Amino acid sequence: MKIYYIGVIRNETKPAYELCCEKDLSSYSRFTRDNYGEFMTLFSKTVAERTKPGQRQDIQEQSYTFHAYGRTEGVAGIIISDQAYPALVAHQLLSKVVDEFLTLHPRSKWATQTPPPSLQLQQLKEYLTKYQDPAQADSIMKIQKELDETKIVLHKTIESVLERGEKIDSLVAKSDGLSAQSKMFYTQVGGFPLSPSVLANDRR
């Protein structure tokens, strides 16, 4: 079980902006880590843009799950994990992260600037390490009741949350957040860049 990404994204307007995040890219070759990091940001923003205030949803793509939690304050929390990671634990952690972010960085700090400032949440690095073990979630079980009463919508692919006719290829082509190197990497791998077959080749 693995968490790759935890982030908070301003999503009330398009394009969405990543306000803070922490990534674990240790699974990837050092030559392509930056590319994978950029794709995680791109797809996290894509999912956040399609997560409504108050909504919780999980989007499965290849061997990954994007866990998303939208807030009425205009942000969404996103976790990228493998599919073995328990969804309930991921959403418990999302609630904790977004609550702590909004306490530290109220809406007045980031709502009106475009692009918004890059903000810090020091605990993210600790949480990314600590919650690799889902059993650590026992300490945040107090929000269990809230989650039990909230339906988590499950989508089987990222494309299923895109607008009609929209494709991952066009998202990649239009993205300002991807370097030319990452776009070339996407073309070379010929598919979703975080897929198991691509990762297997990358680790050789």
Side-chain angles (χ1 to χ4, degrees), residues 8-13 15-20 45 74-75 101 106-119:
V8 177
I9 294 171
R10 189 179 87 180
N11 68 335
E12 62 186 339
T13 56
Y17 288 97
E18 191 177 63
L19 297 174
C20 69
K45 291 195 295 188
V75 295
F101 175 84
R107 183 177 159 79
S108 57
K109 263 192 184 182
W110 44 263
T112 56
Q113 299 179 52
T114 301
S118 188
L119 303 169

Side-chain angles (χ1 to χ4, degrees), residues 23-74:
K23 301 169 187 170
D24 181 348
L25 302 175
S26 60
S27 304
Y28 311 112
S29 154
R30 62 190 176 90
F31 299 108
T32 54
R33 279 178 192 167
D34 288 347
N35 303 124
Y36 287 112
E38 287 181 9
F39 280 110
M40 285 182 185
T41 293
L42 170 65
F43 292 121
S44 292
K45 291 195 295 188
T46 300
V47 168
E49 286 175 351
R50 290 150 181 85
T51 303
K52 298 171 186 170
Q55 181 184 28
R56 290 183 185 271
Q57 60 178 348
D58 287 347
I59 296 99
Q60 295 176 346
E61 182 66 57
Q62 307 284 348
S63 60
Y64 295 84
T65 301
F66 292 72
H67 309 275
Y69 172 36
R71 289 284 292 253
T72 55
E73 292 89 345

